[in-house]
Amino acid sequence: METKIIKAYDEAGLKYAASMLREGKTVIFPTETVYGLGADASNGSAIKDIFTAKGRPQDNPLIVHIPFPDDIEKYAHTESSIFFKRIAKEFMPGPITVILPKKEIISSEATAGLDSVGMRCPSHETAHRLLLYAKVPVAAPSANISGRPSPTEFAHVFEDMNGKVPFIIDGGKVDIGLESTVVSLLGEKVRILRPGGVTPEMLISVCGEENVITDEGVFGKLKEGQKPLSPGMKYRHYAPAAKITAVKGSDGSVRAFFKEKLDLGCAVLCWNEDKAFLPQNPKVLSMGSEEDFEAQASLLFEKLRAFDETNVKEIYARCPSREGLGLAVYNRLLRACAFEVIELDK
Ligand code: TXA
Ligand code: MG
């Protein structure tokens, strides 16, 4: 298939891509979190093309994107949660997805047969304009081949998807670099299934500490036989080709450990602060400063992809903080590690 590249500033091109969405075609577009691979959520056969292009497991539901928060009630039962209005008012448009009971119009292909749907209103200007022109709800997972890190810039999208989709909108580099926060509003409380740009602390400030739960799947592996609340949680996402393990400990012990592993030919994903203490080596990549969670969010997937370009077999990585946006970085990195952590100093 020939893939047409449209620049984000090309208004006529955006309108054309929007009309193609209405015609049942797939379009990749930038958002503030990561690039998405979109199709009309009410058109089951268009949705199937998303699963084919990504090689995505059939039981993993998609997120549906709309231009304005007020549109959500057309597609989902917003009145079923007392927290919906508050969350929408504070955090939309922005990097959050709410799971609500779905309405008929959303195809069961988009929700992988579930009777709930994830709804998101992106704040990215290009995404907003595309959705506005499309006039259909747009289901869009991250635009990577299933199992690879989500794409945070056009080059990643091109690498994974050129020839597999008819249209890609090139919006350069995204802002946040990690996927949206996913919260389930199906129960009495607000349950965080995937941490992202809207942090637990932010949700607590709006909904109250007693009403916000972070699902245990965010911190660790599901136990044998445990059913995930979000089907995506059971897959080893964001996995680089090499085996990756997180390392916890004092600066001194972690740096000594990294040096040993570098001598053995392994690679290291460290903080900026570590670099002065490690040998100059192309196998040393930094994901930002230890306290700079925004930089880490924006760099993590890029660095994981960069390791894929090399032939390293093992990577050792600093273990991120669980505070604020750090929790989203922690969750993605630990999932890439299949939750394997080495604790030094124990
Ligand atoms: O930032 C984002 O959310 C990006 C951009 C493109 O908007 N999209 C994205 O989609 O990350 P995807 O498909 O890669 O991740 C969606 C996650 C999956 O883990 C899926 O299992 C979960 O949301 N999900 C979607 N609908 C759900 C539902 N009805 N119930 C539970 N989990 C759901
Ligand atoms: Mg994804």
Side-chain angles (χ1 to χ4, degrees), residues 34 54 56 60 141-144 147-148 150-151 179 194 237-238:
V34 299
K54 277 185 63 97
R56 182 172 174 108
N60 197 4
S142 49
N144 50 286
R148 293 213 73 198
S150 296
E179 309 87 341
R194 179 175 77 181
H237 269 191
Y238 328 118

Side-chain angles (χ1 to χ4, degrees), residues 33 36 56 60-61 63 65 99 116 120 141-142 179-180 194 230 232:
T33 57
R56 182 172 174 108
N60 197 4
I63 291 173
H65 300 66
I99 298 187
S116 61
R120 165 156 139 73
S142 49
E179 309 87 341
S180 64
R194 179 175 77 181
S230 173

Side-chain angles (χ1 to χ4, degrees), residues 12-43:
L14 274 190
K15 286 187 174 154
Y16 179 65
S19 73
M20 289 295 105
L21 281 169
R22 268 199 309 281
E23 301 271 307
K25 298 278 191 286
T26 53
V27 175
I28 293 181
F29 59 99
T31 82
E32 73 278 25
T33 57
V34 299
Y35 274 80
L37 164 49
D40 178 355
S42 61
N43 178 341

Side-chain angles (χ1 to χ4, degrees), residues 29-38 50 54 56 59-65 94-102 110-112 114-122 138-144 150-151 178-184 186 193-194 228-235 237-238 332 335:
F29 59 99
T31 82
E32 73 278 25
T33 57
V34 299
Y35 274 80
L37 164 49
I50 295 181
K54 277 185 63 97
R56 182 172 174 108
D59 64 347
N60 197 4
L62 310 179
I63 291 173
V64 176
H65 300 66
I96 188 163
T97 297
V98 289
I99 298 187
L100 289 162
K102 89 174 188 77
T111 62
L114 296 179
D115 47 20
S116 61
V117 60
M119 298 293 312
R120 165 156 139 73
C121 175
V138 175
S142 49
N144 50 286
S150 296
L178 295 178
E179 309 87 341
S180 64
T181 305
V182 175
V183 294
S184 171
L186 297 176
L193 302 181
R194 179 175 77 181
L229 289 176
S230 173
M233 286 165 119
K234 68 175 180 243
Y235 299 108
H237 269 191
Y238 328 118
R332 303 311 190 280
R335 288 185 63 181

